[in-house]
Amino acid sequence: MQLISTVAELRARLSGEASIAFVPTMGNLHEGHLDLMRQAREYGSCVVASIFVNPLQFGPAEDFDQYPRTLDADCEKMKAMVDVVFAPSVNEMYPQQQTVFVELPPIASELCGAARPGHFRGMATVVLKLLNIVQPKTALFGKKDYQQLHIIRQLVAQLNLPVNIVGGETVRAQDGLALSSRNQYLIDTERSEAVFLQQTLQAMRQKFLLGSRDFAVLQQQAVQALNDRGWIVDYVSIRNRTDLKKVVCNQDDVVILAAARLGKTRLLDNIEICNQA
Ligand code: PAF
């Protein structure tokens, strides 16, 4: 595995590679990332991962400074799966002030976009830059960040980027908590409580499968259940699975998306409910 930190060196290394599969990350790797890297091998003869904590996608009061930077440990974890790691500095990615951004559709201002203004603009801009730098045939992203994956699919489709986007299933801890680099912010009591987010979505799914279609009530009950246990809820929302638009009753192909804070940690989760008929 080769560790590269400049765009020029990376381009030189990758020129001539016929099929590159790419896993962009912000590092602090967990089994969810490693699972994507393992899958990547099925899509390309050269697997590239990037590690870059992207300042553009963090708000001024967010955790950019605290975000765990663990490059050595990350390299150790992925060395058997990845051929090239691209770990640029902020200056390498943004040698001049970034004044060109991707303008996103309205969905990017809803859900996580409402709680984190500008987050998806910064995310989409860096993803576009990374795709242009690496030029992969396939890029893989986790479904835990469901809205992010949706926006990346739109970016690629609407800007005609020649890359196939693959969404990897969410990897979970034994108790069901979705793996996330931010889980390590949780103190012990919060860690045991954290699984309640997934349990809340599972309970909604059960009600849905038993025929409940009053989505406003289902959402409200879930928010209440979380609030009662001390969570601060950003949203719990039942959306159409393909376009993430709000659904009215009688739709069967949905995803339930949630983001809520436990102490200082913001957790995301979702659950897909495909047409069961
Ligand atoms: O999901 C992430 O880790 C980041 O948002 C991404 C896609 C690597 C862009 O910085």
Side-chain angles (χ1 to χ4, degrees):
M1 187 186 78
Q2 215 176 329
L3 176 61
I4 293 179
S5 60
T6 68
V7 174
E9 209 191 323
L10 185 73
R11 286 204 160 125
R13 165 63 183 83
L14 297 181
S15 74
E17 285 290 353
S19 98
I20 297 169
F22 179 39
V23 182
T25 81
M26 298 207 300
N28 195 235
L29 302 181
H30 52 66
E31 198 42 48
H33 299 113
L34 301 181
D35 197 51
L36 291 176
M37 290 170 192
R38 266 179 225 112
Q39 281 184 59
R41 186 59 68 192
E42 294 164 29
Y43 294 94
S45 52
C46 175
V47 174
V48 179
S50 64
I51 294 193
F52 180 62
V53 185
N54 171 36
L56 290 192
Q57 67 189 75
F58 288 79
E62 293 186 345
D63 57 342
F64 175 71
D65 288 335
Q66 295 115 278
Y67 201 88
R69 284 138 171 106
T70 52
L71 183 60
D72 291 346
D74 289 344
C75 287
E76 194 53 39
K77 285 181 190 165
M78 64 181 154
K79 68 178 183 205
M81 288 165 245
V82 165
D83 302 302
V84 178
V85 178
F86 179 49
S89 63
V90 171
N91 204 41
E92 182 68 16
M93 282 302 280
Y94 301 115
Q96 58 191 58
Q97 195 195 348
Q98 188 75 23
T99 52
V100 176
F101 292 89
V102 180
E103 187 174 331
L104 295 173
I107 187 64
S109 308
E110 297 181 27
L111 303 165
C112 283
R116 304 184 67 191
H119 164 67
F120 286 124
R121 184 176 88 143
M123 180 283 295
T125 302
V126 85
V127 168
L128 180 58
K129 281 171 75 94
L130 287 167
L131 292 175
N132 283 335
I133 293 167
V134 176
Q135 305 200 356
K137 277 220 159 75
T138 302
L140 298 91
F141 298 84
K143 279 194 192 175
K144 184 190 67 78
D145 297 299
Y146 205 90
Q147 187 181 11
Q148 167 172 285
L149 177 60
H150 172 77
I151 289 168
I152 292 168
R153 287 193 195 282
Q154 291 301 308
L155 173 83
V156 163
Q158 295 191 29
L159 296 183
N160 302 86
L161 303 181
V163 57
N164 166 40
I165 299 296
V166 172
E169 293 305 323
T170 301
V171 178
R172 298 182 180 279
Q174 267 197 335
D175 66 353
L177 175 67
L179 296 190
S180 160
S181 300
R182 289 189 168 100
N183 290 353
Q184 73 182 67
Y185 298 155
L186 297 166
I187 57 172
D188 285 355
T189 47
E190 291 168 346
R191 173 60 191 84
S192 28
E193 172 63 18
V195 67
F196 190 66
L197 186 61
Q198 170 61 195
Q199 287 169 352
T200 304
L201 300 189
Q202 290 287 359
M204 288 176 82
R205 178 174 186 273
Q206 266 316 107
K207 290 180 190 166
F208 184 98
L209 294 177
L210 290 171
S212 288
R213 288 296 184 277
D214 192 337
F215 295 149
V217 169
L218 287 176
Q219 288 164 183
Q220 186 44 44
Q221 286 171 343
V223 170
Q224 191 62 52
L226 287 157
N227 284 342
D228 287 348
R229 296 169 67 117
W231 292 71
I232 309 291
V233 179
D234 281 350
Y235 61 83
V236 176
S237 191
I238 305 177
R239 298 285 174 132
N240 180 293
R241 211 165 57 87
T242 16
D243 58 16
L244 294 193
K245 291 207 171 116
K246 286 187 181 142
V247 288
V248 280
C249 46
N250 291 330
Q251 287 199 18
D252 278 344
D253 202 13
V254 302
V255 54
I256 311 175
L257 302 156
R261 287 163 213 270
L262 199 51
K264 292 194 179 114
T265 312
R266 185 170 183 275
L267 298 175
L268 297 185
D269 208 345
N270 63 75
I271 192 165
E272 290 178 301
I273 310 178
C274 307
N275 203 332
Q276 305 287 318

